[in-house]
């Protein structure tokens, strides 16, 4: 079958690599739901970055801030699964545990299963992957070479596993990117609960699903920077391209999938693109849980320097009789 798959593409990088191998082996169209690529204003913002109108981008900040203190997703007790739900099948390869509404977390609830390591990757896999995908797409890079992370659960008291305070750093050739998540304090930059900031030598761009805006540096713009010729008029033109009316990228993305089912072309976010963006965030989880500095080959999607703990998290233990194969 051709597949439209949610992000992140898998719980572990090893699983994602198996998905890519299967897609190529069976010549299937696999579209990853990183649909911001199909929004016109994200496309225009990425073009501004690629044209060098921000100058040389050396630092990128991404974030999600909110305040769910003190109860977070809550602490519902374990119970019998609802009628009609095969809980054992729902758990799949994950460890067998009693039914809990938060571990299930679907239906008329927001997807609270995302707060449990057995099934998901917390905010890194839920939200950061959307933001990091745009960063890597705009700056044309397959991924970072070094990943570090620090996070703790200090304020929110619920039955989830994931931290309420998180700082992750991704080191790319030429720039550094951070992802920050706070769930006990919502005070944010630009008054926005989430977003991306591209910091270049000539200007900064703020970007999220509501639009983008460019803020030139206050010093006089140099005529030439490392990324090419940039002058005041070009930077001013970028600043004037503020975009706050957006189209529906999700519908565009689904439409692109249907077109590719007919044409057999690669979709806007092919499984390979989605895997590279997902792997960056999944490795943030590996760094967080292993408490290690992760060195990574983003082209080969392989760990370079890592302990047994990190390598174990690069894959995933499967409960019998489940197994991973292509």
């Amino acid at each position: 079958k051709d597949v439209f798959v949610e992000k992140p593409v898998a719980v572990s990088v090893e699983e994602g690599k198996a998905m890519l191998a299967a897609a190529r082996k069976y010549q299937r169209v696999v579209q990853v739901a990183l649909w911001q690529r199909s929004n016109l204003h994200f496309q225009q913002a990425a073009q501004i970055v690629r044209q060098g109108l921000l100058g040389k981008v050396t630092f990128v900040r991404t974030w999600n801030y909110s305040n769910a203190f003190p109860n977070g997703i809550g602490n519902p007790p374990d119970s019998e699964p609802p009628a009609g739900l095969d809980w054992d099948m729902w758990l799949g390869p994950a460890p067998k545990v009693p039914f809990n509404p938060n571990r299930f977390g679907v239906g008329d609830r927001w997807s609270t299963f995302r707060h449990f390591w057995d099934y998901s990757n917390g905010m890194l896999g839920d939200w950061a992957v959307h933001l990091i995908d745009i960063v890597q797409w705009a700056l044309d890079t397959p991924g970072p070479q070094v990943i570090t992370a620090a996070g703790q659960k200090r304020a929110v008291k619920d039955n989830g596993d994931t931290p309420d305070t998180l700082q992750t750093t991704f080191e790319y050739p030429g720039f550094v990117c951070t992802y920050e998540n706070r769930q006990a304090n919502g005070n944010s930059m630009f008054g926005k609960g989430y977003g991306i900031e591209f910091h270049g030598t000539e200007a900064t761009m703020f970007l999220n699903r509501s639009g983008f805006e460019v803020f030139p540096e206050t010093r006089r713009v140099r005529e030439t920077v490392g990324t090419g010729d940039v002058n005041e008029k070009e930077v001013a033109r970028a600043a004037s391209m503020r975009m706050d009316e957006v189209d529906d990228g999700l519908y565009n993305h689904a439409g692109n999938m249907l077109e590719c089912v007919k044409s057999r072309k690669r979709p806007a976010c092919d499984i390979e693109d989605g895997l590279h963006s997902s792997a960056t965030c999944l490795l943030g989880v590996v760094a967080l849980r292993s408490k290690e500095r992760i060195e990574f080959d983003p082209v080969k999607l392989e760990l370079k320097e890592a302990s047994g703990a990190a390598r174990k998290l690069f894959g995933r233990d499967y409960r019998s009789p489940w197994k991973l194969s292509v």
Side-chain angles (χ1 to χ4, degrees):
K1 302 280 187 183
D2 296 320
V3 177
F4 189 97
V5 62
E6 267 294 353
K7 52 73 207 164
V9 299
V11 175
S12 72
V13 179
E14 187 177 76
E15 289 176 323
K17 292 176 70 174
M19 292 172 68
L20 173 59
R24 297 296 184 257
K25 178 179 179 180
Y26 298 107
Q27 299 181 12
R28 295 296 91 193
V29 173
V30 182
Q31 173 89 295
V32 179
L34 291 167
W35 53 266
Q36 293 175 161
R37 292 185 179 214
S38 294
N39 266 109
L40 176 61
H41 81 277
F42 276 102
Q43 294 168 2
Q44 292 180 331
Q47 189 62 23
I48 287 172
V49 175
R50 295 183 194 122
Q51 289 176 340
L53 299 184
L54 305 183
K56 180 174 177 55
V57 174
T58 58
F59 184 77
V60 182
R61 184 189 304 275
T62 64
W63 73 93
N64 291 98
Y65 300 149
S66 63
N67 196 333
F69 178 81
N71 296 324
I73 61 173
N75 289 276
D78 293 343
S79 62
E80 291 298 314
L85 172 63
D86 186 338
W87 180 237
D88 186 72
M89 179 62 76
W90 188 94
L91 288 171
K96 190 169 184 177
V97 295
F99 174 84
N100 185 277
N102 274 351
R103 286 182 173 271
F104 184 47
V106 297
D108 60 351
R109 298 165 53 83
W110 181 79
S111 308
T112 50
F113 69 83
R114 303 177 191 200
H115 291 264
F116 295 86
W117 297 132
D118 284 346
Y119 327 116
S120 193
N121 319 96
M123 287 295 284
L124 276 163
D126 179 16
W127 247 110
V129 64
H130 276 299
L131 307 175
I132 296 297
D133 179 60
I134 296 300
V135 173
Q136 295 188 173
W137 183 51
L139 288 166
D140 192 25
T141 176
Q145 296 174 321
V146 177
I147 305 98
T148 54
Q152 298 175 329
K153 194 169 187 175
R154 289 298 189 185
V156 173
K157 301 184 184 301
D158 59 31
N159 67 341
D161 301 326
T162 58
D164 59 27
T165 306
L166 174 68
Q167 173 80 41
T168 311
T169 302
F170 306 100
E171 299 179 39
Y172 295 80
F175 73 97
V176 172
C177 176
T178 63
Y179 173 72
E180 301 172 2
N181 177 229
R182 295 198 307 260
Q183 295 176 25
N185 179 284
N187 190 18
S188 63
M189 290 160 286
F190 291 97
K192 306 292 185 181
Y194 74 98
I196 307 169
E197 291 174 350
F198 292 93
H199 293 274
T201 53
E202 312 306 332
T204 293
M205 175 190 289
F206 166 75
L207 171 64
N208 73 3
R209 291 178 180 175
S210 297
F212 67 82
E213 192 167 2
V214 175
F215 303 88
E217 287 288 275
T218 55
R219 64 178 178 77
R220 182 177 177 82
V221 178
R222 293 173 297 158
E223 288 298 318
T224 304
V225 296
T227 54
D229 293 331
V230 177
N231 59 46
E232 289 179 350
K233 290 183 178 179
E234 289 176 323
V235 175
R237 178 170 63 84
S240 70
M241 289 179 67
R242 172 175 176 168
M243 184 88 170
D244 52 19
E245 293 184 7
V246 299
D247 59 348
D248 197 320
L250 181 54
Y251 281 106
N252 297 342
H253 210 58
N256 172 253
M257 168 71 181
L258 296 176
E259 290 172 5
C260 291
V261 168
K262 296 176 183 178
S263 69
R264 313 312 298 167
K265 293 181 179 179
R266 296 277 172 85
C269 190
D270 175 63
I271 179 61
E272 188 166 1
D273 302 315
L275 173 56
H276 278 279
S277 296
S278 296
T280 298
C281 297
L282 300 183
L283 289 172
V285 176
V286 173
L288 174 69
R289 297 182 67 190
S290 68
K291 297 180 172 59
E292 293 185 33
R293 180 179 187 270
I294 305 299
E295 295 190 23
F296 183 58
D297 184 332
V299 176
K300 296 180 179 180
L301 293 166
E302 294 176 356
L303 294 177
K304 295 174 68 176
E305 296 292 337
S307 71
R311 292 189 180 279
K312 185 176 181 179
L313 291 167
F314 192 74
R316 184 185 181 195
D317 289 334
Y318 275 30
R319 179 169 64 104
S320 180
W322 298 84
K323 63 182 180 179
L324 180 64
S325 61
V326 177

